[in-house]
Amino acid sequence: MCGIVGYVGSEAALPVLMAGLTSLTYRGYDSAGVAVLDGSTLQVVKCAGKVADLAARLADSPLSGSTGIGHTRWATHGEPSDVNAHPHIDTRGDFAVVHNGIFENSSDLRERLRAQGCLIRSQTDTELFAHLVSLHYRGDFEAAVKAALAEVKGSFALVVASRFHPSTLIAAKLDTPPLVIGIGAGEMFVSSDISSLMRFTKRVVILEDGEMAVLTPKNVLVDLFRAEPVVGRRRPANERVLSVDWPADIAERGGYPHFMLKEIEEQPRAIRDTLRDRLLEDGRVAIEDFTLAPATVRRARRVIFLSCGTAYHAGLVGQYLFEPILNLPVQVEIASEFRYRQPVIGLDDLVVAISQSGETADTVSAVRRVQERGATVVAITNVIGSTLSRVADHVLFTRAGPEIAVASTKAFTAQLVAVHLLLRYLAQYRPHQHEKLLYQLGLGLRQLDGVVEQVLQRTATIQAFAAQLASHEDVYFIGRNLDEPIAREGSLKLKEISYIHSEAYPAGELKHGTLALLSPGTAVIALATQSDIYEKMVSNIQEVLARKAWVTALVPEDESELEAMGVGTLRVPRVNDLLAPVPNVVTLQLLAYHCGVARGCEIDQPRNLAKSVTVE
Ligand code: AGP
């Protein structure tokens, strides 16, 4: 996903832009660039490659000036190249623009602008916006940008600079890509995400859908350029100044070799923070600002989990928890498929949309589809001010803190905790016979951070196993019941981080075809932590052993039967079966991480992937 940064103030803009771009690199990108205004001179330096490559180009001729914009690009239109890197300028170089998202009508615009004599240099849709502003400019910068905004369609966030207005930046946002204004003393900042502003200011305004902001060193004016918001509800900007208490180095690695390892080890705190002040002594839950009415809960006739990727696996865990306790049918849907079906949705549907970033386009679009049909939507998300948090009817924030590594870890375990909190909230307003179980789960949730600490202490054992697994090119994960979603998540982590081909299967499903792929030495990781189907898992493991596969079982620390069969084991602390997904997944996260390190892979920004998929 592209990254945007902008500065207008009295200090040199370039160091601010480069620091901002560096903190945005986690989002995945293939090129970078800056434009700095020195009076009425617009200077642009950009290149394919990394921010370090851009810095090398700037080392010989650092740009002076106190207004500027910067960008890290994740290619959507046109291959990664110097000419396709942002910022883009108009024919005469009077305006520069950086952009995240897509202009869906770029083909028509390109033809029209060419016919009007514009010199179009790149393959990008972004460049067209600079030409539009230039064509509309008659001395009023804001009016020219507003007129250009009226001509583009799509989902975007952008910032424009002009050599005619060297102390002004104009930012605008429509639909999902986020844009955040940082409010300083005599200086203003703009960025794609809050964490990159923390080194400069703690006061931010999240730009809402359909809004544009005019930034000068002493002021920021927010206005509408779109009468009807595409997403979310709008509130006056001055009511939206947030003071964010994240430490300035929040986006730093803090001495860890990779963000992913840092975030794996932050999970005890993420669990504690997500539970904090929400799980009451008497077992009830109290979720701040959570407005889901008891009547809506009682009226619900179905729960639908909607999400993508790792968040989808959290929904699968939710299904196993919700159905027996709430006695409600539960569906779990992959948003990119669901949104193109003709689902039968009604007023009695309670939709739970899970998204770490809150910006995944497929999830947000699927949410809008179900809202159009009358469903009530609860969001579980990690990012304050994210699109999903504003589109949904009710929001339960995880408190995992910014997750920088592309591979989701602490956000996932925080999602699992949030699913448990939501379960308890719903159970407070629906008849059930599970008070005792919920009470036990409450005790278990409070101890979960300590359980994860125990898993983290077993890193050396996991690392030793990873050293063996790293030489394999095919790995199969199998499990049943609540082990099955975690088998999927373990497989996804391994693929993302070590590029080893992996598949996850319901253990009972192997004999229906995939068993044909197992040959002597094939690596199989069998999750066997669910007591009520443990014997079934033992049978499945025997099926696999009969094909002479190399099987390792993920089992509770007190398990002995499989070990007696000569099966290698990875041991996890024994907890209530309904909480086992948490220690199990932390074990598999560490396994994937150490496999990736052993194979020399790029851990935090795996090839071809982005931290948040805001394109469809
Ligand atoms: C997880 O490791 C992946 N990076 C990816 O599957 C991710 O979970 C998915 O893109 C959904 O992202 P979201 O939670 O921000 O919506």
Side-chain angles (χ1 to χ4, degrees):
M1 185 166 76
C2 301
I4 289 174
V5 63
Y7 174 77
V8 56
S10 53
E11 303 295 324
L14 188 60
V16 175
L17 299 178
M18 295 306 285
L21 291 181
T22 302
S23 63
L24 289 172
T25 52
Y26 74 87
R27 301 158 69 93
Y29 69 106
D30 47 52
S31 53
V34 292
V36 176
L37 281 166
D38 189 1
S40 62
T41 306
L42 178 61
Q43 314 152 96
V44 178
V45 176
K46 58 185 188 173
C47 63
K50 297 299 185 187
V51 169
D53 301 316
L54 175 65
R57 291 211 183 182
L58 287 161
D60 307 335
S61 52
L63 308 181
S64 57
S66 57
T67 300
I69 52 180
H71 188 266
T72 53
R73 178 175 182 248
W74 188 61
T76 52
H77 284 68
E79 84 278 357
S81 66
D82 292 4
V83 74
N84 285 334
H86 302 209
H88 288 283
I89 59 174
D90 64 305
T91 305
R92 288 193 301 271
D94 298 333
F95 300 91
V97 63
V98 291
H99 163 231
N100 181 14
I102 286 181
F103 295 139
E104 290 166 359
N105 58 331
S106 58
S107 306
D108 300 343
L109 282 174
R110 182 182 296 276
E111 276 176 45
R112 203 194 86 199
L113 292 166
R114 259 209 188 102
Q116 288 179 271
C118 295
L119 170 61
I120 297 179
R121 303 176 179 90
S122 76
Q123 301 163 286
T124 69
D125 54 348
T126 305
E127 181 190 345
L128 308 180
F129 194 83
H131 293 297
L132 284 172
V133 175
S134 176
L135 288 175
H136 285 289
Y137 184 73
R138 300 287 180 279
D140 182 332
F141 187 18
E142 193 178 333
V145 173
K146 211 174 246 188
L149 287 167
E151 297 210 55
V152 291
K153 295 185 180 60
S155 164
F156 57 83
L158 58 85
V159 183
V160 192
S162 164
R163 72 183 192 81
F164 303 128
H165 303 267
S167 299
T168 302
L169 291 178
I170 297 185
K173 166 197 151 63
L174 188 66
D175 203 334
T176 46
L179 213 49
V180 187
I181 311 290
I183 298 174
E187 54 188 10
M188 294 291 170
F189 308 83
V190 57
S191 175
S192 302
D193 80 12
I194 294 178
S195 58
S196 72
L197 293 174
M198 288 299 100
R199 70 184 65 235
F200 306 119
T201 177
K202 306 284 189 190
R203 300 179 68 234
V204 300
V205 171
I206 312 275
L207 215 50
E208 306 257 354
D209 182 57
E211 290 184 329
M212 66 187 267
V214 180
L215 290 80
T216 54
K218 292 196 183 329
N219 200 3
V220 57
L221 283 175
V222 177
D223 189 7
L224 301 184
F225 69 86
R226 167 88 178 242
E228 278 316 307
V230 174
V231 295
R233 297 171 291 281
R234 181 174 293 105
R235 286 153 297 162
N238 60 3
E239 289 174 17
R240 296 178 348 223
V241 177
L242 289 175
S243 290
V244 182
D245 61 355
W246 288 338
D249 65 350
I250 189 74
E252 300 308 321
R253 275 206 305 264
Y256 283 87
H258 303 104
F259 278 114
M260 183 179 177
L261 183 59
K262 174 173 181 276
E263 289 153 9
I264 288 172
E265 298 201 357
E266 285 176 344
Q267 290 182 104
R269 190 187 72 191
I271 290 167
R272 276 194 300 275
D273 287 351
T274 301
L275 282 174
R276 193 182 61 245
D277 302 334
R278 291 169 160 177
L279 190 54
L280 307 181
E281 284 309 316
D282 62 5
R284 285 185 310 110
V285 293
I287 303 167
E288 75 288 350
D289 304 329
F290 193 61
T291 52
L292 179 63
T296 307
V297 176
R298 283 190 281 270
R299 189 183 68 204
R301 291 292 169 268
R302 174 173 60 168
V303 173
I304 301 173
F305 284 98
L306 261 187
S307 37
C308 301
T310 287
Y312 169 68
H313 301 150
L316 291 172
V317 170
Q319 181 178 44
Y320 280 105
L321 297 173
F322 280 33
E323 281 187 329
I325 292 176
L326 299 175
N327 191 31
L328 271 176
V330 178
Q331 271 171 242
V332 190
E333 299 286 354
I334 288 177
S336 58
E337 284 298 305
F338 181 79
R339 60 180 292 209
Y340 296 110
R341 291 206 324 249
Q342 299 302 325
V344 179
I345 299 289
L347 290 169
D348 297 347
D349 283 318
L350 181 62
V351 174
V352 182
I354 304 176
S355 172
Q356 186 282 130
S357 63
E359 301 301 345
T360 298
D362 285 320
T363 304
V364 172
S365 300
V367 161
R368 281 203 223 108
R369 292 285 303 273
V370 297
Q371 285 181 318
E372 287 160 6
R373 289 164 169 72
T376 298
V377 177
V378 171
I380 293 178
T381 185
N382 194 42
V383 178
I384 294 170
S386 62
T387 301
L388 180 63
S389 71
R390 288 181 289 109
V391 170
D393 302 301
H394 314 286
V395 188
L396 198 176
F397 283 108
T398 49
R399 298 170 180 157
E403 188 175 68
I404 308 297
V406 166
S408 187
T409 52
K410 64 175 182 175
F412 179 65
T413 46
Q415 285 164 3
L416 297 183
V417 169
V419 164
H420 272 279
L421 287 171
L422 181 59
L423 167 65
R424 310 174 70 76
Y425 183 90
L426 300 179
Q428 286 173 184
Y429 303 107
R430 293 184 66 90
H432 64 84
Q433 312 300 323
H434 302 284
E435 272 316 323
K436 186 166 178 296
L437 171 59
L438 286 174
Y439 181 75
Q440 285 162 356
L441 285 176
L443 297 178
L445 281 168
R446 286 195 185 84
Q447 294 159 3
L448 214 44
D449 59 335
V451 168
V452 172
E453 291 287 6
Q454 290 176 47
V455 175
L456 297 175
Q457 301 309 317
R458 301 177 185 190
T459 294
T461 305
I462 298 165
Q463 190 171 2
F465 175 57
Q468 300 175 65
L469 193 67
S471 59
H472 284 253
E473 293 309 322
D474 295 291
V475 180
Y476 294 85
F477 288 76
I478 60 173
R480 286 174 176 262
N481 200 290
L482 272 170
D483 281 340
E484 197 266 347
I486 303 307
R488 291 176 186 239
E489 177 57 16
S491 172
L492 176 60
K493 285 285 139 335
L494 188 67
K495 282 185 277 193
E496 282 189 289
I497 296 306
S498 70
Y499 307 155
I500 294 173
H501 167 256
S502 173
E503 293 180 47
Y505 266 86
E509 193 58 13
L510 268 187
K511 54 186 171 298
H512 298 288
T514 304
L515 208 56
L517 290 181
L518 298 197
S519 57
T522 302
V524 176
I525 294 172
L527 283 75
T529 71
Q530 298 295 300
S531 9
D532 53 355
I533 41 89
Y534 172 75
E535 290 311 324
K536 289 286 182 197
M537 270 312 292
V538 172
S539 309
N540 292 139
I541 289 169
Q542 285 166 332
E543 281 165 16
V544 172
L545 284 172
R547 276 73 187 176
K548 301 195 181 338
W550 173 46
V551 186
T552 302
L554 189 77
V555 292
E557 56 211 348
D558 53 5
E559 193 280 340
S560 56
E561 185 177 347
L562 287 167
E563 188 161 48
M565 287 163 55
V567 175
T569 57
L570 274 178
R571 294 189 176 276
V572 290
R574 183 177 285 280
V575 295
N576 183 302
D577 282 0
L578 303 187
L579 295 172
V582 173
N584 296 350
V585 77
V586 175
T587 303
L588 298 183
Q589 291 166 356
L590 285 168
L591 179 60
Y593 173 78
H594 287 297
C595 274
V597 171
R599 291 168 67 102
C601 295
E602 162 57 62
I603 299 292
D604 288 333
Q605 296 162 30
R607 65 187 179 197
N608 311 333
L609 300 183
K611 181 57 186 171
S612 171
V613 184
T614 58
V615 292
E616 295 165 354

